[in-house]
Structures are given as C-alpha cells and as structure tokens.
Amino acid sequence: VMAQMLNVLPDHPLKDTSVARLHNRLCFIGLAAFGLRKKKGCESFSKIGKNCLNHFESLMRLGSSNATPVYSFLIAMKGPSRETFNAAILACAHAGMTHLEAMAKEQYALFLYTEKDVLLANDYITSSYLLYQDWGAHAKASQLLQKHDFLKNTKRPAPRRPMHGKSLAKIGKSNSAYSFNRSFKMVKRMSTRRLSSTA
C-alpha cells in the first residue's frame, strides 16, 4: 500500500501554504521512500527521498531546530550504519520528538538484526516499544509485542537516584548536551560531505 501511494508522488510539489503540514508530509514520505527503495520495482523512490532530504537540509542550514532530527533520521535511512543511526537517535531524543526516536530505534534494531547483533537489536526494540507507548501509539506497540515474544516480560526501568548530592536532572542534562553536541557535529559533517560530493 505504501509503495502504491509513493508511486503517485514523484512530481508532487515540495511546497505547501501550511509549514507544519509540509514538514510532516515530507518527513514521512522521505522515510518511507528510503525504506522501500531497495525493494523490487521501487528503485525510483530514491529520487523522492533525496528531494525530501534536500528540503530538510536547507531548513537545517537556515537554523531550524525541528529540521535537524528529521534530516539526521533521513540520512540514517539513506545510508544505514551504527554511526548514522546513533546520530539520528540522539538528535530525535534531544529534540523531544518521541515518535521519531521510537521509529529510529526500531529501524536501527532492524539494521542490527542484519548485522547479526541480536542482543543489541533486542535492546533497541524494547526501547522503541516503550517509546511507542509513551507517544500513545498503542496499536504499534501491540504490533511489536506480537512480533517479539521477549517484550512480554518487559518492565520499565526504575528511575535512578541522585548520586553524591548531584541531582539526576543535572547529570542527565549534561550528558544529553554532550551527546547532542556530538550528534549535531556528526550531522553537520555528513551534510558537508554531501555538499562536497555534489560540487
């Protein structure tokens, strides 16, 4: 069904009077296009994905904070690797985009399964499952539960206690800032590589 929908979109304009609607439309079209492009008969979807990627790259360079998580996720879907997925997950988490973080972790898990790293993949599936619940996507969480038996024993980790008089919030904030700085620099490097390769 998704492939049929994308087949009618190659010439769809990348403009909309509603910025929010355009953002959501190009985000999910781009993710779907890169996710399906390797399937037989879907090779043309790469063009759709690249158009969406270019849109968010332009917004990111103009300083849009909402564009960076989407751009990094699209980069990971276009060129899946541990580096690109980790950058995408950190960017989505820092931006508070629970839905994209859940999706990125699920896609990363699928990538890790192809790498035969089953234990780490299961960890990311579990994290994705909990995030889908947090987002309110209970049907999606139920789908993962039916697909992965190990999720039936999943329990939410207990919050950590403050250590040595330093609040967990401060610890988390400093670690989050450090992680995001690394991920943002990584995204900028990937963007620079794309520009130099197309020059």
Side-chain angles (χ1 to χ4, degrees):
V1 176
M2 183 63 71
Q4 292 175 350
M5 294 176 67
L6 287 174
N7 273 323
V8 302
L9 293 173
D11 300 319
H12 200 282
L14 296 177
K15 295 181 180 180
D16 198 311
T17 54
S18 171
V19 175
R21 182 170 59 200
L22 181 65
H23 179 97
N24 287 326
R25 177 163 64 84
L26 295 187
C27 170
F28 294 111
I29 286 176
L31 293 173
F34 282 136
L36 293 171
R37 76 189 192 284
K38 291 185 178 180
K39 290 190 175 182
K40 186 176 180 180
C42 299
E43 295 80 6
S44 62
F45 292 170
S46 288
K47 180 181 177 182
I48 300 176
K50 289 176 182 177
N51 287 337
C52 296
L53 183 65
N54 291 337
H55 171 79
F56 287 104
E57 181 174 10
S58 297
L59 290 180
M60 188 181 75
R61 290 184 173 279
L62 291 172
S64 171
S65 58
N66 289 331
T68 301
V70 179
Y71 175 81
S72 60
F73 194 2
L74 288 170
I75 284 288
M77 292 298 291
K78 180 176 182 289
S81 69
R82 292 175 186 254
E83 181 185 46
T84 56
F85 269 117
N86 278 317
I89 290 167
L90 287 170
C92 293
H94 184 272
M97 295 183 175
T98 306
H99 59 307
L100 289 185
E101 184 185 358
M103 293 170 63
K105 286 186 173 181
E106 181 186 8
Q107 291 300 317
Y108 185 32
L110 296 178
F111 168 76
L112 290 171
Y113 283 132
T114 66
E115 297 278 296
K116 309 301 181 184
D117 195 344
V118 176
L119 291 178
L120 187 57
N122 288 349
D123 285 344
Y124 276 94
I125 284 292
T126 300
S127 181
S128 176
Y129 168 71
L130 295 174
L131 286 169
Y132 279 127
Q133 289 184 332
D134 292 341
W135 184 35
H138 299 295
K140 177 61 180 180
S142 179
Q143 183 187 64
L144 287 180
L145 184 62
Q146 293 175 13
K147 187 176 180 180
H148 304 280
D149 288 337
F150 63 84
L151 290 176
K152 295 177 181 178
N153 299 319
T154 298
K155 294 182 180 179
R156 288 185 177 275
R160 294 175 59 186
R161 296 179 180 178
M163 300 186 306
H164 305 295
K166 187 174 183 180
S167 72
L168 181 59
K170 290 182 179 179
I171 296 172
K173 185 176 180 180
S174 62
N175 287 342
S176 175
Y178 173 71
S179 297
F180 179 71
N181 285 336
R182 290 181 61 197
S183 69
F184 186 71
K185 289 177 181 177
M186 192 180 299
V187 171
K188 289 186 70 176
R189 285 201 306 271
M190 290 186 286
S191 177
T192 303
R193 289 174 194 163
R194 287 188 72 248
L195 286 177
S196 61
S197 64
T198 56

